[in-house]
Amino acid sequence: MREKAKELQRQKLETIKQGGKGGRSGYSASSSNFNSVSVPTVVQDSTQATEPSRPTYMKSFGPSKALKLGSKNRDVESFVDQLKSEGERVSSANQNSNSVISKNNAQASSTLLPNTENVHLKFEEKIILTAGRGGGLQNMEVTGITTLRVQDESCGMIRIQFKNDDTRGIQLQTHPNVDKELFKNSCKIGLKNFQKPFPVNTDIGVLKWRYQTTDEAQIPLTINCWPSENNKGGCDVNIEYELQNEDLELLDVIISIPIPSGSGGPVVGDCEGEYLYEARRNTLLWQLTVVDASNKTGAMEFSVSGAHISDFFPVQVTFQSTQSFVRLNALEARLVESNSIVSHSVETSLTTDKYEIV
């Protein structure tokens, strides 16, 4: 090896003496020997194909199994996912922090509901009604439920005094765990086993009711729709509402009237409240923010070309109210042991499930 190196050195000196002539051919002629004794710094400038047999060369340019930046986390995640797929329960720092957040959220959700007392009652009702376009009530059904939510352990063992002023034959049904005889005799809600408390921070249904009738006088809001054919090949429509139950305040009342397609839409004349024509649904919406005793009646008039009388039915109605249809109230709540009064709050809602004039 030394002799070859000396020979290369002599060739280099001779080339310099000759003024660089034949330098390129000299490198080319000795290229094989040069590569065989080259130092690593020269070899690293070569391509991978020049020395495939050198392990260091292959290691530096070939595929590497060494972990790259961020790959450790990916490997750990893959390992965790594998454990999870095998049924193992694995917790990580992120999961621990998430569990703490979830725990805090759970504690926050179990705290007192806004604007409520430790004993909170919800009265929820839904009404289904079908009336004829020429008058008459085909069917009307009101269903309701009272749910109890105790929000403090100290108020778990209680009895609630109800007052039923409804004389229309409302069917009442208590929860199986509620003392039925106690409610029947004194209109109180309490557990059969009075030594056990109601669950805390849980909505418990304690009372249900149902009312069904065909008596027109019980319709809370009547709708009278009068379409009549005009001499222009269309119809003039007069529609009016009347609140029969003045104890109720109806909110967000929407009366939906179908409009025949291809008619070009309705031409609205007089209208109490607001209206909106939805062309895609072919529906005219008569909207009233509030209907109560102060505006118990109202009317709207409109015309539609190319329509027939039957095109404007069924008329559908939606509304909501913060008063209940049945005359049922919760008066007070008392602790079983001390008979002392516990503050309670009541939330009431009445909504339409299906309300139409056919």
Side-chain angles (χ1 to χ4, degrees):
M1 296 292 291
R2 290 182 180 179
E3 294 178 356
K4 291 182 179 181
K6 289 179 180 181
E7 182 180 357
L8 289 173
Q9 187 66 21
R10 286 196 299 268
Q11 292 178 359
K12 184 176 181 181
L13 292 174
E14 290 177 358
T15 302
I16 294 173
K17 290 178 181 180
Q18 294 175 2
K21 294 181 180 180
R24 185 180 299 271
S25 62
Y27 272 97
S28 300
S30 61
S31 60
S32 59
N33 292 332
F34 179 83
N35 289 336
S36 64
V37 295
S38 60
V39 292
T41 55
V42 179
V43 174
Q44 290 176 357
D45 291 334
S46 304
T47 59
Q48 183 176 351
T50 56
E51 280 194 4
S53 61
R54 282 197 159 191
T56 55
Y57 178 84
M58 295 299 292
K59 183 176 181 180
S60 60
F61 289 90
S64 174
K65 296 183 180 179
L67 293 178
K68 297 180 181 179
L69 183 62
S71 62
K72 182 176 181 180
N73 292 334
R74 289 194 294 268
D75 290 346
V76 172
E77 290 174 0
S78 299
F79 179 66
V80 170
D81 293 338
Q82 181 179 356
L83 289 178
K84 288 181 178 179
S85 66
E86 295 174 357
E88 297 290 339
R89 299 184 61 183
V90 182
S91 62
S92 63
N94 291 336
Q95 289 175 332
N96 290 335
S97 61
N98 291 336
S99 64
V100 172
I101 294 173
S102 300
K103 183 177 181 181
N104 293 335
N105 290 339
Q107 291 175 351
S109 63
S110 64
T111 56
L112 192 66
L113 295 176
N115 302 321
T116 60
E117 300 293 341
N118 287 333
V119 176
H120 184 63
L121 294 157
K122 286 196 298 185
F123 288 73
E124 298 174 291
E125 285 183 326
K126 290 186 178 182
I127 182 170
I128 298 174
L129 182 145
T130 304
R133 67 185 69 177
L137 177 61
Q138 297 182 10
N139 181 58
M140 173 178 161
E141 183 181 44
V142 179
T143 57
I145 184 172
T146 297
T147 58
L148 168 65
R149 184 181 180 91
V150 176
Q151 305 184 103
D152 192 290
E153 292 181 356
S154 62
C155 303
M157 299 175 63
I158 56 171
R159 285 178 176 174
I160 304 166
Q161 180 67 63
F162 279 70
K163 184 180 181 182
N164 183 10
D165 291 330
D166 208 303
T167 58
R168 293 172 292 186
I170 306 294
Q171 301 175 10
L172 299 169
Q173 183 180 17
T174 57
H175 189 277
N177 291 337
V178 170
D179 192 334
K180 184 181 295 186
E181 293 300 319
L182 178 67
F183 182 78
K184 182 179 179 180
N185 296 329
S186 57
C187 206
K188 290 182 180 180
I189 291 291
L191 292 176
K192 288 180 179 179
N193 188 348
F194 61 90
Q195 295 180 343
K196 287 187 176 182
F198 284 99
V200 178
N201 293 320
T202 304
D203 291 334
I204 303 296
V206 294
L207 182 66
K208 288 182 179 181
W209 60 90
R210 179 175 177 267
Y211 174 68
Q212 191 170 16
T213 184
T214 55
D215 183 4
E216 292 183 60
Q218 299 303 322
I219 300 177
L221 183 70
T222 60
I223 304 295
N224 189 5
C225 184
W226 279 81
S228 57
E229 295 182 357
N230 55 34
N231 56 5
K232 300 178 182 179
C235 287
D236 298 326
V237 182
N238 290 21
I239 183 169
E240 61 180 2
Y241 72 83
E242 181 179 2
L243 180 68
Q244 292 198 137
N245 189 342
E246 296 186 18
D247 294 333
L248 292 176
E249 180 187 64
L250 306 183
L251 308 174
D252 301 326
V253 180
I254 300 178
I255 302 170
S256 303
I257 308 142
I259 303 297
S261 59
S263 62
V267 178
V268 179
D270 295 335
C271 177
E272 297 183 34
E274 299 179 352
Y275 70 89
L276 174 67
Y277 174 61
E278 292 190 351
R280 292 184 177 182
R281 294 176 51 201
N282 295 315
T283 303
L284 176 62
L285 304 179
W286 184 14
Q287 301 170 331
L288 301 139
T289 304
V290 179
V291 174
D292 56 15
S294 64
N295 65 332
K296 58 181 295 183
T297 61
M300 179 173 68
E301 298 178 1
F302 63 92
S303 300
V304 179
S305 61
H308 302 282
I309 292 177
S310 60
D311 292 335
F312 304 98
F313 297 94
V315 176
Q316 298 180 334
V317 184
T318 61
F319 59 78
Q320 57 183 330
S321 178
T322 56
Q323 289 99 24
S324 63
F325 178 84
V326 302
R327 301 178 180 93
L328 184 67
N329 299 306
L331 299 180
E332 63 180 16
R334 290 180 179 267
L335 296 175
V336 174
E337 293 182 353
S338 62
N339 200 37
S340 57
I341 294 179
V342 178
S343 297
H344 77 283
S345 53
V346 177
E347 178 184 354
T348 305
S349 66
L350 168 65
T351 57
T352 54
D353 192 355
K354 185 179 180 180
Y355 200 110
E356 60 182 7
I357 292 83
V358 297

mmCIF file with all atom_site columns, all heavy atoms in Angstrom, residues 171-191:
data_model
loop_
_atom_site.group_PDB
_atom_site.id
_atom_site.type_symbol
_atom_site.label_atom_id
_atom_site.label_alt_id
_atom_site.label_comp_id
_atom_site.label_asym_id
_atom_site.label_entity_id
_atom_site.label_seq_id
_atom_site.pdbx_PDB_ins_code
_atom_site.Cartn_x
_atom_site.Cartn_y
_atom_site.Cartn_z
_atom_site.occupancy
_atom_site.B_iso_or_equiv
_atom_site.pdbx_formal_charge
_atom_site.auth_seq_id
_atom_site.auth_comp_id
_atom_site.auth_asym_id
_atom_site.auth_atom_id
_atom_site.pdbx_PDB_model_num
ATOM 1   N N   . GLN A 1 171 ? -106.702 11.565 34.388 1.00 0.00 ? 171 GLN A N   1
ATOM 2   C CA  . GLN A 1 171 ? -106.216 10.280 34.897 1.00 0.00 ? 171 GLN A CA  1
ATOM 3   C C   . GLN A 1 171 ? -104.798 10.453 35.439 1.00 0.00 ? 171 GLN A C   1
ATOM 4   O O   . GLN A 1 171 ? -103.887 10.807 34.697 1.00 0.00 ? 171 GLN A O   1
ATOM 5   C CB  . GLN A 1 171 ? -106.236 9.220  33.799 1.00 0.00 ? 171 GLN A CB  1
ATOM 6   C CG  . GLN A 1 171 ? -107.615 8.977  33.200 1.00 0.00 ? 171 GLN A CG  1
ATOM 7   C CD  . GLN A 1 171 ? -107.585 8.004  32.033 1.00 0.00 ? 171 GLN A CD  1
ATOM 8   O OE1 . GLN A 1 171 ? -106.573 7.363  31.782 1.00 0.00 ? 171 GLN A OE1 1
ATOM 9   N NE2 . GLN A 1 171 ? -108.689 7.895  31.323 1.00 0.00 ? 171 GLN A NE2 1
ATOM 10  N N   . LEU A 1 172 ? -104.627 10.191 36.737 1.00 0.00 ? 172 LEU A N   1
ATOM 11  C CA  . LEU A 1 172 ? -103.341 10.359 37.398 1.00 0.00 ? 172 LEU A CA  1
ATOM 12  C C   . LEU A 1 172 ? -102.745 9.004  37.741 1.00 0.00 ? 172 LEU A C   1
ATOM 13  O O   . LEU A 1 172 ? -103.469 8.070  38.119 1.00 0.00 ? 172 LEU A O   1
ATOM 14  C CB  . LEU A 1 172 ? -103.505 11.194 38.672 1.00 0.00 ? 172 LEU A CB  1
ATOM 15  C CG  . LEU A 1 172 ? -104.027 12.619 38.476 1.00 0.00 ? 172 LEU A CG  1
ATOM 16  C CD1 . LEU A 1 172 ? -104.407 13.243 39.813 1.00 0.00 ? 172 LEU A CD1 1
ATOM 17  C CD2 . LEU A 1 172 ? -102.986 13.476 37.770 1.00 0.00 ? 172 LEU A CD2 1
ATOM 18  N N   . GLN A 1 173 ? -101.435 8.906  37.625 1.00 0.00 ? 173 GLN A N   1
ATOM 19  C CA  . GLN A 1 173 ? -100.739 7.648  37.939 1.00 0.00 ? 173 GLN A CA  1
ATOM 20  C C   . GLN A 1 173 ? -99.402  7.962  38.591 1.00 0.00 ? 173 GLN A C   1
ATOM 21  O O   . GLN A 1 173 ? -98.600  8.712  38.045 1.00 0.00 ? 173 GLN A O   1
ATOM 22  C CB  . GLN A 1 173 ? -100.523 6.828  36.662 1.00 0.00 ? 173 GLN A CB  1
ATOM 23  C CG  . GLN A 1 173 ? -99.871  5.471  36.904 1.00 0.00 ? 173 GLN A CG  1
ATOM 24  C CD  . GLN A 1 173 ? -99.666  4.692  35.620 1.00 0.00 ? 173 GLN A CD  1
ATOM 25  O OE1 . GLN A 1 173 ? -99.715  5.267  34.530 1.00 0.00 ? 173 GLN A OE1 1
ATOM 26  N NE2 . GLN A 1 173 ? -99.429  3.406  35.725 1.00 0.00 ? 173 GLN A NE2 1
ATOM 27  N N   . THR A 1 174 ? -99.173  7.385  39.772 1.00 0.00 ? 174 THR A N   1
ATOM 28  C CA  . THR A 1 174 ? -97.921  7.599  40.489 1.00 0.00 ? 174 THR A CA  1
ATOM 29  C C   . THR A 1 174 ? -96.896  6.530  40.116 1.00 0.00 ? 174 THR A C   1
ATOM 30  O O   . THR A 1 174 ? -97.250  5.454  39.644 1.00 0.00 ? 174 THR A O   1
ATOM 31  C CB  . THR A 1 174 ? -98.148  7.567  42.014 1.00 0.00 ? 174 THR A CB  1
ATOM 32  O OG1 . THR A 1 174 ? -98.746  6.315  42.364 1.00 0.00 ? 174 THR A OG1 1
ATOM 33  C CG2 . THR A 1 174 ? -99.041  8.706  42.467 1.00 0.00 ? 174 THR A CG2 1
ATOM 34  N N   . HIS A 1 175 ? -95.629  6.839  40.357 1.00 0.00 ? 175 HIS A N   1
ATOM 35  C CA  . HIS A 1 175 ? -94.552  5.877  40.129 1.00 0.00 ? 175 HIS A CA  1
ATOM 36  C C   . HIS A 1 175 ? -94.714  4.696  41.089 1.00 0.00 ? 175 HIS A C   1
ATOM 37  O O   . HIS A 1 175 ? -95.185  4.867  42.217 1.00 0.00 ? 175 HIS A O   1
ATOM 38  C CB  . HIS A 1 175 ? -93.200  6.576  40.357 1.00 0.00 ? 175 HIS A CB  1
ATOM 39  C CG  . HIS A 1 175 ? -92.022  5.752  39.954 1.00 0.00 ? 175 HIS A CG  1
ATOM 40  N ND1 . HIS A 1 175 ? -91.477  4.796  40.784 1.00 0.00 ? 175 HIS A ND1 1
ATOM 41  C CD2 . HIS A 1 175 ? -91.289  5.738  38.812 1.00 0.00 ? 175 HIS A CD2 1
ATOM 42  C CE1 . HIS A 1 175 ? -90.447  4.232  40.175 1.00 0.00 ? 175 HIS A CE1 1
ATOM 43  N NE2 . HIS A 1 175 ? -90.311  4.778  38.980 1.00 0.00 ? 175 HIS A NE2 1
ATOM 44  N N   . PRO A 1 176 ? -94.332  3.482  40.669 1.00 0.00 ? 176 PRO A N   1
ATOM 45  C CA  . PRO A 1 176 ? -94.485  2.311  41.546 1.00 0.00 ? 176 PRO A CA  1
ATOM 46  C C   . PRO A 1 176 ? -93.809  2.452  42.904 1.00 0.00 ? 176 PRO A C   1
ATOM 47  O O   . PRO A 1 176 ? -94.263  1.844  43.882 1.00 0.00 ? 176 PRO A O   1
ATOM 48  C CB  . PRO A 1 176 ? -93.843  1.179  40.725 1.00 0.00 ? 176 PRO A CB  1
ATOM 49  C CG  . PRO A 1 176 ? -94.002  1.598  39.306 1.00 0.00 ? 176 PRO A CG  1
ATOM 50  C CD  . PRO A 1 176 ? -93.875  3.089  39.311 1.00 0.00 ? 176 PRO A CD  1
ATOM 51  N N   . ASN A 1 177 ? -92.723  3.221  43.000 1.00 0.00 ? 177 ASN A N   1
ATOM 52  C CA  . ASN A 1 177 ? -92.039  3.397  44.278 1.00 0.00 ? 177 ASN A CA  1
ATOM 53  C C   . ASN A 1 177 ? -92.659  4.484  45.146 1.00 0.00 ? 177 ASN A C   1
ATOM 54  O O   . ASN A 1 177 ? -92.254  4.678  46.296 1.00 0.00 ? 177 ASN A O   1
ATOM 55  C CB  . ASN A 1 177 ? -90.560  3.727  44.060 1.00 0.00 ? 177 ASN A CB  1
ATOM 56  C CG  . ASN A 1 177 ? -89.795  2.537  43.512 1.00 0.00 ? 177 ASN A CG  1
ATOM 57  O OD1 . ASN A 1 177 ? -90.204  1.390  43.678 1.00 0.00 ? 177 ASN A OD1 1
ATOM 58  N ND2 . ASN A 1 177 ? -88.677  2.798  42.832 1.00 0.00 ? 177 ASN A ND2 1
ATOM 59  N N   . VAL A 1 178 ? -93.639  5.200  44.581 1.00 0.00 ? 178 VAL A N   1
ATOM 60  C CA  . VAL A 1 178 ? -94.323  6.260  45.327 1.00 0.00 ? 178 VAL A CA  1
ATOM 61  C C   . VAL A 1 178 ? -95.515  5.657  46.077 1.00 0.00 ? 178 VAL A C   1
ATOM 62  O O   . VAL A 1 178 ? -96.201  4.762  45.571 1.00 0.00 ? 178 VAL A O   1
ATOM 63  C CB  . VAL A 1 178 ? -94.775  7.381  44.374 1.00 0.00 ? 178 VAL A CB  1
ATOM 64  C CG1 . VAL A 1 178 ? -95.698  8.369  45.071 1.00 0.00 ? 178 VAL A CG1 1
ATOM 65  C CG2 . VAL A 1 178 ? -93.560  8.104  43.800 1.00 0.00 ? 178 VAL A CG2 1
ATOM 66  N N   . ASP A 1 179 ? -95.754  6.159  47.266 1.00 0.00 ? 179 ASP A N   1
ATOM 67  C CA  . ASP A 1 179 ? -96.869  5.695  48.099 1.00 0.00 ? 179 ASP A CA  1
ATOM 68  C C   . ASP A 1 179 ? -98.186  6.120  47.450 1.00 0.00 ? 179 ASP A C   1
ATOM 69  O O   . ASP A 1 179 ? -98.583  7.287  47.513 1.00 0.00 ? 179 ASP A O   1
ATOM 70  C CB  . ASP A 1 179 ? -96.735  6.287  49.502 1.00 0.00 ? 179 ASP A CB  1
ATOM 71  C CG  . ASP A 1 179 ? -97.690  5.626  50.493 1.00 0.00 ? 179 ASP A CG  1
ATOM 72  O OD1 . ASP A 1 179 ? -98.743  5.104  50.060 1.00 0.00 ? 179 ASP A OD1 1
ATOM 73  O OD2 . ASP A 1 179 ? -97.386  5.629  51.692 1.00 0.00 ? 179 ASP A OD2 1
ATOM 74  N N   . LYS A 1 180 ? -98.872  5.173  46.818 1.00 0.00 ? 180 LYS A N   1
ATOM 75  C CA  . LYS A 1 180 ? -100.103 5.473  46.093 1.00 0.00 ? 180 LYS A CA  1
ATOM 76  C C   . LYS A 1 180 ? -101.231 5.910  47.027 1.00 0.00 ? 180 LYS A C   1
ATOM 77  O O   . LYS A 1 180 ? -101.988 6.845  46.722 1.00 0.00 ? 180 LYS A O   1
ATOM 78  C CB  . LYS A 1 180 ? -100.538 4.247  45.290 1.00 0.00 ? 180 LYS A CB  1
ATOM 79  C CG  . LYS A 1 180 ? -101.762 4.474  44.418 1.00 0.00 ? 180 LYS A CG  1
ATOM 80  C CD  . LYS A 1 180 ? -102.159 3.215  43.677 1.00 0.00 ? 180 LYS A CD  1
ATOM 81  C CE  . LYS A 1 180 ? -101.087 2.811  42.684 1.00 0.00 ? 180 LYS A CE  1
ATOM 82  N NZ  . LYS A 1 180 ? -101.530 1.648  41.851 1.00 0.00 ? 180 LYS A NZ  1
ATOM 83  N N   . GLU A 1 181 ? -101.345 5.246  48.165 1.00 0.00 ? 181 GLU A N   1
ATOM 84  C CA  . GLU A 1 181 ? -102.411 5.593  49.120 1.00 0.00 ? 181 GLU A CA  1
ATOM 85  C C   . GLU A 1 181 ? -102.199 6.982  49.709 1.00 0.00 ? 181 GLU A C   1
ATOM 86  O O   . GLU A 1 181 ? -103.162 7.713  49.957 1.00 0.00 ? 181 GLU A O   1
ATOM 87  C CB  . GLU A 1 181 ? -102.478 4.549  50.232 1.00 0.00 ? 181 GLU A CB  1
ATOM 88  C CG  . GLU A 1 181 ? -102.930 3.174  49.766 1.00 0.00 ? 181 GLU A CG  1
ATOM 89  C CD  . GLU A 1 181 ? -104.324 3.211  49.147 1.00 0.00 ? 181 GLU A CD  1
ATOM 90  O OE1 . GLU A 1 181 ? -105.191 3.912  49.699 1.00 0.00 ? 181 GLU A OE1 1
ATOM 91  O OE2 . GLU A 1 181 ? -104.525 2.550  48.101 1.00 0.00 ? 181 GLU A OE2 1
ATOM 92  N N   . LEU A 1 182 ? -100.949 7.334  49.931 1.00 0.00 ? 182 LEU A N   1
ATOM 93  C CA  . LEU A 1 182 ? -100.651 8.668  50.452 1.00 0.00 ? 182 LEU A CA  1
ATOM 94  C C   . LEU A 1 182 ? -101.097 9.740  49.474 1.00 0.00 ? 182 LEU A C   1
ATOM 95  O O   . LEU A 1 182 ? -101.676 10.764 49.868 1.00 0.00 ? 182 LEU A O   1
ATOM 96  C CB  . LEU A 1 182 ? -99.150  8.797  50.738 1.00 0.00 ? 182 LEU A CB  1
ATOM 97  C CG  . LEU A 1 182 ? -98.651  10.141 51.250 1.00 0.00 ? 182 LEU A CG  1
ATOM 98  C CD1 . LEU A 1 182 ? -99.198  10.404 52.643 1.00 0.00 ? 182 LEU A CD1 1
ATOM 99  C CD2 . LEU A 1 182 ? -97.126  10.187 51.255 1.00 0.00 ? 182 LEU A CD2 1
ATOM 100 N N   . PHE A 1 183 ? -100.858 9.508  48.185 1.00 0.00 ? 183 PHE A N   1
ATOM 101 C CA  . PHE A 1 183 ? -101.270 10.487 47.181 1.00 0.00 ? 183 PHE A CA  1
ATOM 102 C C   . PHE A 1 183 ? -102.790 10.490 47.022 1.00 0.00 ? 183 PHE A C   1
ATOM 103 O O   . PHE A 1 183 ? -103.398 11.558 46.850 1.00 0.00 ? 183 PHE A O   1
ATOM 104 C CB  . PHE A 1 183 ? -100.609 10.172 45.841 1.00 0.00 ? 183 PHE A CB  1
ATOM 105 C CG  . PHE A 1 183 ? -100.933 11.162 44.761 1.00 0.00 ? 183 PHE A CG  1
ATOM 106 C CD1 . PHE A 1 183 ? -100.291 12.390 44.719 1.00 0.00 ? 183 PHE A CD1 1
ATOM 107 C CD2 . PHE A 1 183 ? -101.872 10.874 43.786 1.00 0.00 ? 183 PHE A CD2 1
ATOM 108 C CE1 . PHE A 1 183 ? -100.586 13.316 43.731 1.00 0.00 ? 183 PHE A CE1 1
ATOM 109 C CE2 . PHE A 1 183 ? -102.180 11.789 42.796 1.00 0.00 ? 183 PHE A CE2 1
ATOM 110 C CZ  . PHE A 1 183 ? -101.542 13.018 42.767 1.00 0.00 ? 183 PHE A CZ  1
ATOM 111 N N   . LYS A 1 184 ? -103.395 9.314  47.102 1.00 0.00 ? 184 LYS A N   1
ATOM 112 C CA  . LYS A 1 184 ? -104.840 9.224  46.934 1.00 0.00 ? 184 LYS A CA  1
ATOM 113 C C   . LYS A 1 184 ? -105.591 9.915  48.065 1.00 0.00 ? 184 LYS A C   1
ATOM 114 O O   . LYS A 1 184 ? -106.596 10.597 47.830 1.00 0.00 ? 184 LYS A O   1
ATOM 115 C CB  . LYS A 1 184 ? -105.249 7.749  46.856 1.00 0.00 ? 184 LYS A CB  1
ATOM 116 C CG  . LYS A 1 184 ? -106.733 7.521  46.642 1.00 0.00 ? 184 LYS A CG  1
ATOM 117 C CD  . LYS A 1 184 ? -107.042 6.038  46.555 1.00 0.00 ? 184 LYS A CD  1
ATOM 118 C CE  . LYS A 1 184 ? -108.534 5.799  46.371 1.00 0.00 ? 184 LYS A CE  1
ATOM 119 N NZ  . LYS A 1 184 ? -108.844 4.347  46.289 1.00 0.00 ? 184 LYS A NZ  1
ATOM 120 N N   . ASN A 1 185 ? -105.095 9.763  49.273 1.00 0.00 ? 185 ASN A N   1
ATOM 121 C CA  . ASN A 1 185 ? -105.798 10.294 50.438 1.00 0.00 ? 185 ASN A CA  1
ATOM 122 C C   . ASN A 1 185 ? -105.459 11.752 50.738 1.00 0.00 ? 185 ASN A C   1
ATOM 123 O O   . ASN A 1 185 ? -106.334 12.521 51.175 1.00 0.00 ? 185 ASN A O   1
ATOM 124 C CB  . ASN A 1 185 ? -105.498 9.436  51.671 1.00 0.00 ? 185 ASN A CB  1
ATOM 125 C CG  . ASN A 1 185 ? -106.014 8.011  51.517 1.00 0.00 ? 185 ASN A CG  1
ATOM 126 O OD1 . ASN A 1 185 ? -107.023 7.765  50.838 1.00 0.00 ? 185 ASN A OD1 1
ATOM 127 N ND2 . ASN A 1 185 ? -105.311 7.056  52.111 1.00 0.00 ? 185 ASN A ND2 1
ATOM 128 N N   . SER A 1 186 ? -104.200 12.141 50.550 1.00 0.00 ? 186 SER A N   1
ATOM 129 C CA  . SER A 1 186 ? -103.798 13.504 50.943 1.00 0.00 ? 186 SER A CA  1
ATOM 130 C C   . SER A 1 186 ? -103.097 14.272 49.832 1.00 0.00 ? 186 SER A C   1
ATOM 131 O O   . SER A 1 186 ? -102.598 15.380 50.068 1.00 0.00 ? 186 SER A O   1
ATOM 132 C CB  . SER A 1 186 ? -102.882 13.446 52.166 1.00 0.00 ? 186 SER A CB  1
ATOM 133 O OG  . SER A 1 186 ? -101.745 12.637 51.892 1.00 0.00 ? 186 SER A OG  1
ATOM 134 N N   . CYS A 1 187 ? -103.040 13.699 48.628 1.00 0.00 ? 187 CYS A N   1
ATOM 135 C CA  . CYS A 1 187 ? -102.419 14.351 47.459 1.00 0.00 ? 187 CYS A CA  1
ATOM 136 C C   . CYS A 1 187 ? -100.962 14.726 47.743 1.00 0.00 ? 187 CYS A C   1
ATOM 137 O O   . CYS A 1 187 ? -100.499 15.797 47.350 1.00 0.00 ? 187 CYS A O   1
ATOM 138 C CB  . CYS A 1 187 ? -103.219 15.589 47.071 1.00 0.00 ? 187 CYS A CB  1
ATOM 139 S SG  . CYS A 1 187 ? -103.050 16.026 45.316 1.00 0.00 ? 187 CYS A SG  1
ATOM 140 N N   . LYS A 1 188 ? -100.249 13.798 48.412 1.00 0.00 ? 188 LYS A N   1
ATOM 141 C CA  . LYS A 1 188 ? -98.835  14.000 48.705 1.00 0.00 ? 188 LYS A CA  1
ATOM 142 C C   . LYS A 1 188 ? -97.992  12.961 47.957 1.00 0.00 ? 188 LYS A C   1
ATOM 143 O O   . LYS A 1 188 ? -98.406  11.814 47.822 1.00 0.00 ? 188 LYS A O   1
ATOM 144 C CB  . LYS A 1 188 ? -98.569  13.891 50.208 1.00 0.00 ? 188 LYS A CB  1
ATOM 145 C CG  . LYS A 1 188 ? -99.130  15.033 51.027 1.00 0.00 ? 188 LYS A CG  1
ATOM 146 C CD  . LYS A 1 188 ? -98.771  14.856 52.503 1.00 0.00 ? 188 LYS A CD  1
ATOM 147 C CE  . LYS A 1 188 ? -99.321  16.004 53.339 1.00 0.00 ? 188 LYS A CE  1
ATOM 148 N NZ  . LYS A 1 188 ? -98.988  15.856 54.779 1.00 0.00 ? 188 LYS A NZ  1
ATOM 149 N N   . ILE A 1 189 ? -96.829  13.403 47.510 1.00 0.00 ? 189 ILE A N   1
ATOM 150 C CA  . ILE A 1 189 ? -95.867  12.517 46.855 1.00 0.00 ? 189 ILE A CA  1
ATOM 151 C C   . ILE A 1 189 ? -94.765  12.186 47.850 1.00 0.00 ? 189 ILE A C   1
ATOM 152 O O   . ILE A 1 189 ? -94.091  13.072 48.377 1.00 0.00 ? 189 ILE A O   1
ATOM 153 C CB  . ILE A 1 189 ? -95.255  13.156 45.598 1.00 0.00 ? 189 ILE A CB  1
ATOM 154 C CG1 . ILE A 1 189 ? -96.308  13.274 44.491 1.00 0.00 ? 189 ILE A CG1 1
ATOM 155 C CG2 . ILE A 1 189 ? -94.055  12.360 45.100 1.00 0.00 ? 189 ILE A CG2 1
ATOM 156 C CD1 . ILE A 1 189 ? -96.749  11.949 43.897 1.00 0.00 ? 189 ILE A CD1 1
ATOM 157 N N   . GLY A 1 190 ? -94.603  10.882 48.117 1.00 0.00 ? 190 GLY A N   1
ATOM 158 C CA  . GLY A 1 190 ? -93.554  10.403 49.001 1.00 0.00 ? 190 GLY A CA  1
ATOM 159 C C   . GLY A 1 190 ? -93.264  8.944  48.695 1.00 0.00 ? 190 GLY A C   1
ATOM 160 O O   . GLY A 1 190 ? -94.101  8.237  48.117 1.00 0.00 ? 190 GLY A O   1
ATOM 161 N N   . LEU A 1 191 ? -92.096  8.478  49.063 1.00 0.00 ? 191 LEU A N   1
ATOM 162 C CA  . LEU A 1 191 ? -91.728  7.098  48.799 1.00 0.00 ? 191 LEU A CA  1
ATOM 163 C C   . LEU A 1 191 ? -92.493  6.149  49.721 1.00 0.00 ? 191 LEU A C   1
ATOM 164 O O   . LEU A 1 191 ? -92.856  6.502  50.849 1.00 0.00 ? 191 LEU A O   1
ATOM 165 C CB  . LEU A 1 191 ? -90.222  6.913  48.993 1.00 0.00 ? 191 LEU A CB  1
ATOM 166 C CG  . LEU A 1 191 ? -89.323  7.622  47.973 1.00 0.00 ? 191 LEU A CG  1
ATOM 167 C CD1 . LEU A 1 191 ? -87.858  7.421  48.341 1.00 0.00 ? 191 LEU A CD1 1
ATOM 168 C CD2 . LEU A 1 191 ? -89.585  7.109  46.557 1.00 0.00 ? 191 LEU A CD2 1
#
